[in-house]
Amino acid sequence: TTMELLRHALSIYPMDTSWLRTQGDFNYIIRKYPTSLRNYIEAGAISSSYFLNEVPTDIWDDLVYRRMISCCSALFCHTQAAVLCQFLTPVDFNMAIRAVQQHNSEDAMETYYHCIWETTILEAIIHLHSMRGEYDKQQIAMSCLNQPELNSYNSTDILLHAMRSRKRRFLVALAHQYLHVILLEIYDLYIILLLLKTVYIYIYI
């Protein structure tokens, strides 16, 4: 079967990001959303050196982002889904706002506000909490919105830095939640590769 083929391929090449993405696609189709999300996140972590770099577009494209959003929504992690809407090109503001309006969110929504760089989404969240009388959460969102680096009058470089730092902060948090031990193995391997590279340079150059 397809799943047996994927498992065999990953048993031989456990860090092959293309196979991991394919496994994520397959699990999404058969509605195994938690497993699909883990597959996608693992592929992204490996291909970007634990999110130190951008995830290549052949690993995460808009189709994968939309599937990750669907997985988060299916798991009632609507704030995570809203944050991921920022990764789309163009940003899907309507989907993000619909996500934060959900009443059955099971993620601690305010803990992800510092991962949002699109001020339109933060403004919608502030308004939502005001309407619900959730003033503590409203203050947290306002504090995130008022961060100097999100000022629209900033230079492009500052705004890009704000986006990248928030994006990585979110992806690392997502990886910690869904990958657990796998994440540590990826990070340990990355450190080993860096040490081997350093030894090689010391000996041969």
Side-chain angles (χ1 to χ4, degrees):
T1 66
T2 303
M3 182 55 73
E4 289 172 346
L5 174 62
L6 288 168
R7 285 173 179 165
H8 177 69
L10 286 167
S11 69
I12 301 172
Y13 306 107
M15 299 185 73
D16 188 297
T17 52
S18 297
W19 281 115
L20 283 167
R21 173 181 167 157
T22 302
Q23 189 177 44
D25 292 337
F26 182 79
N27 281 315
Y28 181 83
I29 291 168
I30 62 175
R31 299 185 179 183
K32 289 187 175 181
Y33 298 122
T35 307
S36 175
L37 189 56
R38 281 197 298 271
N39 295 148
Y40 288 141
I41 295 171
E42 187 178 358
I46 292 171
S47 64
S48 63
S49 300
Y50 185 30
F51 305 116
L52 289 174
N53 306 306
E54 291 285 330
V55 178
T57 54
D58 61 327
I59 303 301
W60 283 3
D61 53 16
D62 267 15
L63 175 61
V64 170
Y65 287 133
R66 289 191 179 276
R67 288 183 170 181
M68 290 172 71
I69 290 167
S70 295
C71 289
C72 289
S73 296
L75 298 171
F76 304 106
C77 295
H78 299 297
T79 315
Q80 293 177 0
V83 175
L84 282 168
C85 288
Q86 300 175 112
F87 290 60
L88 296 168
T89 305
V91 176
D92 195 327
F93 291 105
N94 289 331
M95 185 187 293
I97 293 168
R98 285 198 304 271
V100 297
Q101 288 173 338
Q102 298 298 315
H103 287 276
N104 59 342
S105 186
E106 293 187 2
D107 54 9
M109 56 190 305
E110 65 273 16
T111 63
Y112 293 104
Y113 292 167
H114 67 301
C115 300
I116 298 174
W117 61 89
E118 291 290 348
T119 55
T120 301
I121 298 174
L122 284 170
E123 288 167 354
I125 290 170
I126 291 167
H127 177 70
L128 176 68
H129 287 314
S130 176
M131 294 292 290
R132 292 179 179 174
E134 298 169 340
Y135 300 115
D136 289 344
K137 293 181 178 180
Q138 182 188 27
Q139 288 299 315
I140 294 171
M142 288 179 66
S143 175
C144 293
L145 178 63
N146 291 330
Q147 292 298 307
E149 60 266 33
L150 293 185
N151 191 309
S152 59
Y153 292 103
N154 285 335
S155 68
T156 302
D157 287 344
I158 293 174
L159 292 172
L160 281 173
H161 176 74
M163 178 193 73
R164 288 168 183 157
S165 62
R166 284 162 173 75
K167 183 183 287 189
R168 183 172 188 271
R169 185 183 301 156
F170 173 70
L171 293 175
V172 169
L174 211 62
H176 274 290
Q177 178 177 345
Y178 291 103
L179 295 188
H180 307 301
V181 176
I182 294 173
L183 181 63
L184 295 176
E185 292 173 352
I186 293 169
Y187 185 71
D188 288 345
L189 180 60
Y190 179 65
I191 295 297
I192 291 169
L193 290 174
L194 282 179
L195 289 173
L196 288 174
K197 183 178 180 181
T198 303
V199 171
Y200 176 84
I201 292 172
Y202 179 77
I203 295 174
Y204 295 103
I205 296 178

